Amino acid sequence: MEIVRTSEDGDQPTRQRVARSILVNGPSTAAALAERLELTPAAVRRHLDQLLAEGAVDARDPRPVGARGRGRPAKVFALTERGRDAFDQQYDDLATEALRFLAETVGEDAVRAFAERRAAFIEERFPEVQAAHPEASPAQVLAMVFSEEGYAAAVRELPVVGEQLCQQHCPVSHVAHEFPQLCEAETEAIGRVLGTHVQRLATIAHGDGVCTTCIPDAGTVSSREKKEQVTS
């Protein structure tokens, strides 16, 4: 049976080329994309219109550089977070396959070792960022470290308990859904840099809207430890 491809199906590879060109080269005008991809301006604009409708790109005014000429400057098109996620998913699929292969051929210990090596950025970056921001609390320093790695992290104050590290984005959430060792290694690294036990309350990898980690303040930890010593 012959498979009939629709015009939209045939356009998809070219549309992906347009999106990838923006990903690699940064925000671009339609004219620049047409020249770079050797397409007609009309074809590029058609693909850009579809990407705009899908929410994969948005149109922005270019940053002013030098003297402004006559006429309205051409819009530049940039990938949105949704547009970037489409590429992240492809890399996630490859990473998941690689970890499956590692688990099958070497064992779970190898996956664990990989997760710990990946989470090493937390302990490596923490002292440097803390030294650069002495006014920040340890939790705020952690938020800066995670944000630098693409986690969009922030700190929320919790009455009595302490602080909560919130990560609005997780670049490895699709992979961590199958391999929770990635989340576990991060949590343990957080506890080591803070010198206290921390607890993950929610993770994007398990379907929650945000990753949250409870960080007790020093007073709460001391009170708990004293209580445990009295009861033991």
Side-chain angles (χ1 to χ4, degrees), residues 134-178:
E135 77 288 352
S137 71
Q140 290 170 336
V141 172
L142 272 173
M144 295 178 199
V145 171
F146 274 97
S147 292
E148 289 177 356
E149 295 293 321
Y151 286 78
V155 176
R156 180 186 305 164
E157 296 287 339
L158 296 178
V160 182
V161 179
E163 295 173 304
Q164 191 175 76
L165 178 67
C166 302
Q167 297 157 223
Q168 304 294 336
H169 177 68
C170 176
V172 297
S173 60
H174 294 100
V175 184
H177 178 73
E178 183 171 341

Side-chain angles (χ1 to χ4, degrees), residues 181-203:
Q181 297 96 322
L182 295 170
C183 296
E184 294 166 2
E186 287 180 6
T187 305
E188 291 171 5
I190 291 172
R192 285 195 295 271
V193 297
L194 297 178
T196 185
H197 174 74
V198 299
Q199 183 178 4
R200 277 273 169 94
L201 304 178
T203 62

